[in-house]
């Protein structure tokens, strides 16, 4: 095409003869090219708007647009979870590869609607709002990849947060139908409410081969240490209610029990504690007189008096978190949010993120059997420790409990740390907010070593060309037995030595300059890092009446 | 004109064409990519999704009607695997605290030296009881350390012997120590007898067999491992940058038969004979020649060119791959040599993993990714190498350097489980001075200990509202003495500005119940401040001196800060430690007759030290100050601090007849020598550290006007 146009342009001799014809020819040629250009432009620029409108329509996409997948009756069912699974046996680390950022790549399966042969969906609720939040948080994070071949971890879009809404067998079949399932290798499932009546197992009952399980409510019998991740049960109140952080300190009540379905035996025990200790305890229950609407989640009652939940939690130093049918309780999240120290009584419960969080700093774990001794146990904790725990509890909530995003990111970070252990966050980084804040100024030298004589020290002399005094310094210093090396930094090479000044410190401008420096430095540091001490180190027999010859540092004070 | 027009049209057509091609190109390049994946990100659904409702109110109510909590708890006790709730009887530990009983040794029962060391460590610890009725934990008198049938140490018929123990009770509350299990060729972790509900403290335990929060993984140690004390770490000073001659080293056997060599067989791929030196030899056993493979000769020749010790001490990282079993001696050797261990032993539950954060002291690699190891260790930043290296030294000295420490750590972990809410936090375990010296019963608040001020954000205790309280213990001249605790409560941080008349100070008189020396260091409830000033009744100290010493103590809260100093030395003629009170150029002890220290040390003295040492002090009515100095130096690994004092004090002290007679008493002096040696043998090493430094007020004896000096009384004679 290009060539023909060029050829055409080479025919000026023909033009006078076929003038009009040519004009038409040129005009058509020009308009064709122009049209082409416009078309290309359309093609080029429209797609943008087409695509953005597609994205826009994606934004407005409905769950019902997701493709429908029918599960045949005979579709294979995965095996039950293998209790002996560990990262080195059930996880394919080669998929994660070596990468300089030390970050795993996570792929999320696109949403599909699974139905059985007769068209009944596998889940009564479908995709829940919380699971949707979780997946979009992951997809917005650094972990996400849309390239399935580069992914190291796969997250199904099948929502298994709440086992109650699932049809176990069909969900398992749906999992096995995922294109990269491969015996569940490198797949991660999020579940918060495991088990169902009558036994309420502590791990998700859906058979899932080797898939990793991030579960809320694991017991020590079902938790595969170093493989599964124990996560909290998310409380929707985290998003609904805004509880301002309260200064740690003593509160109106000492112990508060806010759960509504406490076992009769335990309630009797709590009532007894209340009788013994009176006002220090507050035992709330559900409000029987209020209508059964949504607000009842947010109200608690004691002898007809109505309290706002979870606000009331802020009025207590300790808040009881007892096991229910399941070990994991959403109350824990509310309690932490209120900055109340949780008193966790759920034997064999694996606390959320226990792999990285030190719960001793934020909670009190008491065996269920010792419920009658709860009051004395809690009273024995020093009040400064209680304040520390209140602060830590609130911080745990902010960092790891406050949203589905926080829960999801923490889970992925834990798995990431297992795969790249040499780049893992340290235990202190997980648990100590001040370490996180000040990690850059943490000194790498912390072991108290007494420096031995053998390597000695290096002397660095900064000189301003005053050769005489410099030589005097050098002669003196060089006699020190532990001197290894003497470095002279020649600072003012081209200038002649300054006029006789006794010492730099006598020069007034010098002192003014130095105080300016100090102020400047302090403002850069934001605080004054220097500390004033009133002592100085001297040799043991310094200026004592003792023969100088016998002192190991003779004549030190006589200069 | 027309030609011009034509050319113009032509030219613009050409431009259009070029533009067309230009635009077409990228468009065609981009489109297919988009077409491939229509969902690059998770879509934002517009329709209202159902909320997740975590409240299981009705379910729980329904459940509670059917199931009693006790029933729920006991549900799992029948399971084969054990947890503390199901296999451990907490009620045995209730009234008497955490006590350990060791079955009496039977005649004719051979016990290996390592196991003998373990037993004697328990017996000399504060947990030991000889009464099984008081015990919470039981330890066998049968040597279960070596369960390799081919080993000469193997004990036969263990099964029946254990069944015959009268207190066995299916292993409930029993602790079994084991170092080796299984035998050639597959080295399983079977002990060859039924352990029942007993806890296992085992070396090289795998995560599959490990019962979390029930078993304890201990390190593999050799039979030469010292019983007490133990060598310190080899890191003597930090070098910056922290690199050593080699980056990564390994020297060990490559097994031609049996398990354990998958990783070792591949090591030669990574070996570069420069800074990554990974050597294997085929020489092991008698008939290695028979199984010899193609690489053997080459490997063996390379192997002999390097010295193990030289490599160990000159390498930044040391490879610790699995051998026959998951753990190896190399692990502790590397730890002591400050060579950061690079673990290549998939599935090994690392020693004391329950309490030690190994990420701060070791690099945990994956056997499957052996070829990436060199680039991984090279990518570790200098700062981190420096801190990893120091942490190896801390962990070595805190938990591994002797059999006693390993055993005590094991017992303390179990005690922490029994104490539950009172247990140590991971911070206490992983920071100086370590869990063995940080007793959680004292307080669960970190700020109550002298070691964690920096962790809590305040660098020293000076900011605290609490003010010094001096504890004055008046001692009568005879060993019977009464104690008077003088509590000083002032509301400003600088006591020097107030001259408190003696009457305004609340004086609490505590009459010592047993009237023994050790009651000087009892942790009285009346002591509420962190600082304790311990005095004798004949101590002559001025307010200024006390004031100055306190300001010094605030900077060094973990040490003893005081006046009269003494020193120790090694008497090579008599082959024992000597004690001297002569004026020397250095000191290693500060007498507690006039010294500040943290009140935690009172607690540690009373709780940590064994009864034998304390009763010895009580009988002699002497040496209590030496013992305190031993203890504090063992904790801090640093010397005490001597501050300036008036010359007069010493002379008055010496001038007093009663005092002089006591100090001049040759028996008194000989006793102190004897004490030192007794203490050193219990600690297993000499914890005292010499110092040549004395802390004086800043203008002390300087030629400036006395009016400018803050602590001028100290200079006046």
């Amino acid at each position: 095409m290009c060539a023909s146009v060029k050829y055409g342009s080479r025919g000026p001799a023909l033009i006078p003869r076929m003038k009009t014809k040519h004009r038409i020819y040129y005009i058509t040629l020009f308009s064709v090219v122009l049209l082409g250009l416009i078309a290309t432009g359309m093609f080029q620029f429209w797609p943008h708007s087409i695509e953005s409108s597609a994205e826009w329509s994606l934004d407005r996409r409905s769950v019902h647009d997701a493709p429908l997948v029918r599960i045949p009756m005979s579709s294979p069912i995965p095996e039950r979870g293998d209790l002996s699974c560990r990262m080195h046996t059930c996880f394919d680390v080669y998929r994660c590869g070596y990468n300089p950022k030390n970050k795993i790549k996570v792929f999320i399966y696109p949403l599909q609607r699974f139905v059985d042969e007769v068209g009944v969906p596998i889940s009564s609720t479908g995709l829940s709002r919380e699971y949707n939040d979780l997946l979009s948080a992951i997809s917005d994070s650094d972990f996400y990849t849309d390239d399935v071949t580069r992914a190291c971890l796969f997250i199904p879009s099948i929502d298994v947060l709440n086992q109650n809404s699932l049809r176990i067998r069909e969900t398992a079949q749906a999992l096995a139908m995922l294109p990269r399932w491969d015996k569940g290798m490198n797949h991660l499932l999020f579940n918060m409410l495991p088990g169902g009546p009558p036994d309420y197992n502590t791990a998700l009952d859906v058979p899932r081969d080797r898939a990793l399980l991030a579960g809320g409510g694991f017991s020590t019998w079902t938790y595969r240490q170093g493989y599964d991740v124990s996560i909290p049960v998310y409380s929707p109140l985290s998003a609904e209610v805004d509880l301002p952080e309260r200064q740690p300190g003593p509160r109106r009540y000492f112990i508060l029990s806010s759960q509504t379905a406490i076992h009769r035996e335990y309630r009797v025990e709590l009532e007894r504690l209340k009788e013994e200790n009176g006002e220090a305890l507050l035992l709330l229950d559900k409000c029987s007189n209020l209508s059964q609407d949504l607000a009842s989640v947010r109200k608690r009652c004691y002898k007809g008096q109505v309290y706002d939940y979870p606000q009331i939690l802020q009025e207590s130093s300790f808040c009881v978190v007892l096991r229910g049918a399941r070990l994991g309780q959403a109350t824990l999240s509310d309690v932490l949010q209120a900055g109340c120290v949780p008193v966790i009584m759920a034997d064999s419960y694996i606390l959320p993120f226990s792999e990285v969080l030190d719960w001793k700093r934020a909670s009190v774990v008491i065996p269920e059997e010792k419920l009658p001794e709860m009051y004395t146990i809690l009273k024995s904790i020093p009040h400064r420790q209680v304040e520390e725990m209140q602060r830590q509890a609130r911080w745990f909530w902010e960092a790891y409990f406050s949203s589905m995003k926080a829960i999801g990111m923490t889970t992925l970070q834990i798995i990431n740390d297992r795969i790249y252990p040499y780049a893992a966050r340290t235990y202190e980084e997980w648990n100590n907010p001040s370490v996180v804040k000040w990690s850059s100024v943490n000194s790498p030298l912390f072991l108290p070593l007494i420096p031995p004589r053998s390597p000695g020290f290096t002397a660095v002399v900064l000189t301003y060309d005053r050769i005489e005094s410099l030589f005097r310094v050098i002669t003196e210093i060089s006699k020190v037995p532990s001197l290894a090396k003497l470095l002279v930094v020649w600072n003012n090479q081209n200038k002649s030595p300054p006029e006789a000044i006794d010492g730099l410190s006598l020069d007034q401008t010098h002192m003014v300059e130095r105080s300016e420096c100090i102020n400047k430095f302090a403002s850069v540091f934001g605080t004054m890092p220097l500390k004033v001490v009133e002592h100085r180190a001297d040799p043991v027999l310094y200026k004592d009446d003792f023969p100088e010859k016998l002192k190991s540092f003779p004549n030190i004070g006589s200069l | 004109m027309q030609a011009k027009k034509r050319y113009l049209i032509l030219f613009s057509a050409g431009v259009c064409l070029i533009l067309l091609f230009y635009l077409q190109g990228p468009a065609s390049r981009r489109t297919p990519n988009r077409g491939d994946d229509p969902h690059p990100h998770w879509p934002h659904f517009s329709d209202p999704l159902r909320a997740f409702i975590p409240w299981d109110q009705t379910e729980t109510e329904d459940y509670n009607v059917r199931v009693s909590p006790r029933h729920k708890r006991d549900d799992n006790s029948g399971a084969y695997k054990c947890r503390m709730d199901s296999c451990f009887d907490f009620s045995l530990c209730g009234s008497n605290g955490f006590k350990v009983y060791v079955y009496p040794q039977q005649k004719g029962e051979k016990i290996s030296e390592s196991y003998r060391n373990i037993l004697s460590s328990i017996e000399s610890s504060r947990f030991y009881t000889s009464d099984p009725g008081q015990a919470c934990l039981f330890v066998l008198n049968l040597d279960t350390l070596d369960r390799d049938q081919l080993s000469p140490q193997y004990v036969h018929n263990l099964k029946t012997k254990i069944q015959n123990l009268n207190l066995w009770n299916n292993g409930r509350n029993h602790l079994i120590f084991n170092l080796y299990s299984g035998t050639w060729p597959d080295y399983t972790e079977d002990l060859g007898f039924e352990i029942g509900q007993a806890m296992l403290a085992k070396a090289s335990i795998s995560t599959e067999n490990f019962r979390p929060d029930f078993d304890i993984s201990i390190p593999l140690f050799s039979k030469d491992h010292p019983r007490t004390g133990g060598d310190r770490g080899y890191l003597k000073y930090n070098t910056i940058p922290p690199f050593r001659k080699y980056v990564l080293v390994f020297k060990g056997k490559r097994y031609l038969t049996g398990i354990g060599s998958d990783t070792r067989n591949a090591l030669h791929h990574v070996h570069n004979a420069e800074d990554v030196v990974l050597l294997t030899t085929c020489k092991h056993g008698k008939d290695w020649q028979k199984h010899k493979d193609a690489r053997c000769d080459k490997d063996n020749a390379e192997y002999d060119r390097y010295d193990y010790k030289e490599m160990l001490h000159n390498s930044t990282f040391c490879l610790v791959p699995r051998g026959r079993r998951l753990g190896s001696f190399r692990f502790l050797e590397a730890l002591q040599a400050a060579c950061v261990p690079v673990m290549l032993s998939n599935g090994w539950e690392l020693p004391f993993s329950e309490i030690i954060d190994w990420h701060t002291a070791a690099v945990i690699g994956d056997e499957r990714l052996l070829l990436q190891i060199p680039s991984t260790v090279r990518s570790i930043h200098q700062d981190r190498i420096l801190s990893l290296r120091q942490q190896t030294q801390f962990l070595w000295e805190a938990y591994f350097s002797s059999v006693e420490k390993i055993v005590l750590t094991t017992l303390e972990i179990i005690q922490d489980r029994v104490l539950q809410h009172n247990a140590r936090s991971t911070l206490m375990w992983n920071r100086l001075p370590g869990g063995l010296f940080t007793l959680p019963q004292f307080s669960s608040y970190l700020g109550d200990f002298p070691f964690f001020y920096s962790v809590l954000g305040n660098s020293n205790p000076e900011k605290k509202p609490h003010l010094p309280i001096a504890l004055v213990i008046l001692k009568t001249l005879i060993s019977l003495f009464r104690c008077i605790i003088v509590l000083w409560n002032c509301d400003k941080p600088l006591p020097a500005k107030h001259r408190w008349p003696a009457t305004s100070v609340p004086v609490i008189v505590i009459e010592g119940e047993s009237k023994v020396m050790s009651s000087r260091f009892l942790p009285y409830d009346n002591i509420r401040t962190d600082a304790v000033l311990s005095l004798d009744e004949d101590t002559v100290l001025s307010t200024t001196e006390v004031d100055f010493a306190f300001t010094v103590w605030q900077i060094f809260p973990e040490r003893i800060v005081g006046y009269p100093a003494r020193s120790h030395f090694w008497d090579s003629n008599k082959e024992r430690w000597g004690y001297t009170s002569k004026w020397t150029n250095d000191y290693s002890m500060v007498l507690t007759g006039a010294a500040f220290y943290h009140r935690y040390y009172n607690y540690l003295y009373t709780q940590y030290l064994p009864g034998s040492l304390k009763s010895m002090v009580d009988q002699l009515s002497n040496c209590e100050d030496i013992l305190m100095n031993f203890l504090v130096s063992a904790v801090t690994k640093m010397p005490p601090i001597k501050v300036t004092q008036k010359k007069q004090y010493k002379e008055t002290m010496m001038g007093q007849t009663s005092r002089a007679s006591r100090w001049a008493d040759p028996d008194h002096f000989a006793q102190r020598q004897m004490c030192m040696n007794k203490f050193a043998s219990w600690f297993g090493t000499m914890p005292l550290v010499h110092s040549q430094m004395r802390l004086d007020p800043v203008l002390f004896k300087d030629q400036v006007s006395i009016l400018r000096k803050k602590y001028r009384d100290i200079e006046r004679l």
Side-chain angles (χ1 to χ4, degrees), chain B residues 34 46 131 144 149 267 311 335 358 378 606 648 681 687:
Chain B
R34 293 262 165 164
S46 58
D131 175 11
T144 50
Q149 287 163 17
L267 287 181
M311 293 207 305
L335 213 57
W358 280 107
R378 278 181 220 274
T606 318
Q648 203 183 10
S681 79

Side-chain angles (χ1 to χ4, degrees), chain B residues 245-533:
Chain B
K245 184 176 164 193
Y246 305 106
V247 171
L248 182 67
V249 298
F250 170 76
K251 194 173 175 185
K253 291 176 201 158
R254 185 158 68 84
Y255 305 110
L256 301 169
T257 59
I259 65 155
S261 271
D262 298 342
T263 308
R264 296 187 179 199
N265 285 340
L267 287 181
H268 67 268
H269 294 296
V270 185
H271 170 74
N272 69 6
E274 283 166 25
D275 55 357
V276 178
V277 183
L278 308 176
L279 309 164
T280 54
T281 178
C282 299
K283 291 179 190 168
H284 67 96
K286 287 164 208 152
D287 53 351
W288 67 273
Q289 299 265 12
K290 272 192 244 163
H291 307 283
K292 185 165 141 175
D293 59 21
R295 284 206 60 86
C296 273
D297 289 328
K298 200 176 162 203
D299 283 349
N300 290 355
E302 189 81 354
Y303 183 87
D304 295 332
R305 282 180 48 216
Y306 292 88
D307 177 52
Y308 176 64
K309 281 259 151 45
E310 192 265 343
M311 293 207 305
L312 190 67
H313 288 92
N314 291 297
S315 180
T316 315
F317 295 96
C318 283
L319 199 68
V320 184
R322 75 160 78 209
R324 290 297 201 197
R325 299 179 182 86
L326 289 167
S328 60
F329 295 125
R330 198 164 282 100
F331 180 64
L332 283 190
E333 286 165 358
L335 213 57
Q336 182 180 17
C339 183
V340 179
V342 177
M343 314 303 307
L344 274 189
S345 189
N346 285 359
W348 181 21
E349 190 70 35
L350 292 178
F352 303 134
S353 54
E354 190 175 335
I355 52 145
I356 294 177
D357 180 12
W358 280 107
H359 289 298
T360 58
V363 178
I364 294 151
D366 189 324
E367 284 182 68
R368 293 173 290 178
L369 303 176
L370 169 70
L371 300 184
Q372 290 177 12
I373 292 290
S375 52
T376 302
V377 296
R378 278 181 220 274
S379 74
I380 293 172
H381 194 263
Q382 295 186 20
D383 277 5
R384 203 164 127 72
I385 293 177
L386 208 54
S387 84
L388 285 168
R389 182 179 293 163
Q390 292 172 91
Q391 191 73 2
T392 60
Q393 298 299 284
F394 158 65
L395 291 176
W396 163 259
E397 284 174 13
Y399 305 117
F400 299 109
S401 65
S402 66
V403 176
E404 186 186 35
K405 279 181 184 151
I406 295 172
V407 170
L408 282 181
T409 310
T410 312
L411 296 182
E412 293 277 8
I413 291 174
I414 300 173
Q415 194 200 11
D416 263 14
R417 293 177 189 161
V418 173
L419 288 172
Q420 283 158 331
H421 59 273
N422 253 340
R424 297 168 178 86
S425 70
T426 35
L427 192 86
M428 294 180 181
W429 285 110
N430 288 288
R431 286 264 178 160
L432 282 163
L436 298 187
F437 288 121
T438 316
L439 304 186
Q441 296 95 326
F442 175 67
S443 170
S444 47
Y445 178 60
L446 288 176
D448 286 340
F449 294 90
F451 318 115
F452 305 110
Y453 294 117
S454 62
V455 182
L456 293 171
N458 43 342
S459 53
N460 51 46
E462 69 186 340
K463 284 177 200 148
K464 289 190 173 182
H466 283 245
L467 290 169
I469 290 175
L471 164 71
V472 184
I473 297 173
L474 294 184
K475 226 169 24 167
T476 55
L477 294 175
I478 324 159
S479 62
L480 297 172
F481 58 84
R482 288 180 305 161
C483 307
I484 299 175
I485 299 183
V486 182
L487 294 162
W488 235 304
N489 274 327
C490 76
D491 37 17
K492 284 189 183 174
L494 293 170
K497 287 178 184 163
H498 303 262
R499 296 241 163 162
W500 305 312
T503 48
S504 74
V505 177
V507 178
I508 295 172
V509 184
I510 294 176
E511 206 160 342
E513 276 172 32
S514 45
K515 311 223 189 283
V516 287
M517 218 57 173
S518 293
S519 53
R520 156 171 240 166
F521 296 130
L522 280 179
Y524 296 107
D525 288 340
N526 289 316
I527 308 175
R528 298 272 165 78
T529 56
D530 289 342
V532 177
L533 172 62

Side-chain angles (χ1 to χ4, degrees), chain A residues 312-385:
Chain A
I312 185 65
L313 294 174
Q314 289 200 310
E315 301 299 323
S316 180
S317 299
F318 291 97
C319 295
V320 177
V321 182
L322 265 166
R323 64 140 21 106
R326 299 186 177 88
L327 287 168
Q329 294 288 313
T331 314
L332 178 61
S333 174
D334 299 334
V335 167
L336 293 175
Q337 185 183 12
C340 183
V341 180
V343 183
I344 300 165
M345 282 178 278
D347 291 358
S348 80
Y349 178 41
I350 302 285
L351 289 165
F353 302 129
S354 61
E355 187 172 338
V356 294
L357 299 189
D358 188 357
W359 280 95
K360 277 175 200 139
R361 299 185 207 182
S363 71
V364 185
V365 179
I366 298 179
E368 290 174 45
E369 244 178 350
K370 288 198 177 169
L371 178 61
E373 297 158 45
M374 175 172 71
Y375 188 81
T376 33
I377 290 174
L378 296 181
K379 267 290 170 202
S380 72
I381 300 174
H383 68 95
R384 277 184 292 173
Q385 173 68 7

Side-chain angles (χ1 to χ4, degrees), chain A residues 66-331:
Chain A
L68 203 68
V69 180
R70 229 170 255 282
I71 306 169
M73 272 294 274
S74 57
S75 175
I77 304 176
E79 285 169 31
R80 289 200 63 83
D82 179 0
L83 267 181
S84 67
C85 259
R86 293 295 180 272
M87 287 309 265
H88 64 273
T89 53
C90 294
F91 192 89
D92 181 5
V93 75
Y94 297 115
R95 288 202 188 156
C96 307
Y98 177 75
N99 85 52
K101 277 191 196 156
N102 298 323
K103 262 217 163 16
I104 54 169
K105 290 283 166 208
V106 181
F107 175 78
I108 303 174
Y109 285 99
L111 187 68
Q112 289 173 313
R113 285 183 301 141
F114 287 94
V115 291
D116 65 7
E117 275 186 332
V118 285
V120 182
I122 57 165
S123 154
S124 58
T125 53
L127 180 72
S128 69
R129 192 172 64 206
E130 278 69 17
Y131 197 56
N132 181 42
D133 289 349
L134 178 77
L135 293 182
S136 48
I138 293 172
S139 106
D140 292 340
S141 72
D142 286 351
F143 292 111
Y144 182 73
T145 178
D146 56 359
D147 185 355
V148 72
T149 54
R150 288 176 57 216
C152 151
L153 195 65
F154 302 87
I155 300 182
S157 55
I158 303 167
D159 181 356
V160 292
L161 280 186
N162 186 349
Q163 193 191 307
N164 284 351
S165 60
L166 296 179
R167 296 167 67 196
I168 307 287
R169 186 189 140 91
E170 286 75 12
T171 309
Q173 287 174 322
L175 286 175
M177 282 171 73
L178 294 172
R180 300 255 164 182
W181 179 250
D182 186 22
K183 289 257 162 228
M185 202 83 110
N186 294 23
H187 279 65
L188 174 65
L189 304 179
F190 284 90
N191 168 257
M192 284 179 179
L193 297 184
D199 293 331
Y200 291 97
N201 281 333
T202 52
L204 181 67
D205 284 325
V206 177
R208 52 186 190 276
D209 282 331
R210 294 170 164 187
L212 292 154
L213 185 60
F218 274 119
S219 83
T220 166
W221 306 98
T222 48
Y223 179 66
R224 295 170 289 184
Q225 197 157 30
Y227 192 64
D228 289 328
V229 183
S230 176
I231 59 171
V233 180
Y234 175 71
S235 166
L237 298 185
S238 297
E240 283 174 32
V241 188
D242 181 36
L243 291 181
E245 187 171 356
R246 267 188 68 159
Q247 278 304 308
R251 304 273 158 93
R252 190 165 154 213
Y253 303 105
F254 187 60
I255 302 173
L256 177 82
S257 160
S258 66
Q259 284 166 299
T260 50
I262 295 178
H263 194 276
R264 204 175 50 253
E265 288 178 32
Y266 288 154
R267 191 163 281 283
V268 168
E269 205 53 68
L270 287 170
E271 298 281 358
R272 203 184 54 73
L273 278 174
K274 164 112 184 116
E275 268 168 39
E276 284 171 15
N277 303 295
E279 284 298 296
L281 267 78
L282 181 62
L283 304 183
L284 301 176
D285 204 343
K286 64 169 180 289
C287 298
S288 46
N289 47 355
L290 287 182
S291 56
Q292 283 289 347
D293 60 346
L294 248 175
S296 68
V297 173
R298 303 273 305 274
K299 296 280 181 230
R300 294 286 189 278
C301 288
Y302 175 68
K303 288 192 178 163
Q305 202 173 345
V306 185
Y307 296 88
D308 281 333
Y309 182 86
Q311 285 82 350
I312 185 65
L313 294 174
Q314 289 200 310
E315 301 299 323
S316 180
S317 299
F318 291 97
C319 295
V320 177
V321 182
L322 265 166
R323 64 140 21 106
R326 299 186 177 88
L327 287 168
Q329 294 288 313
T331 314

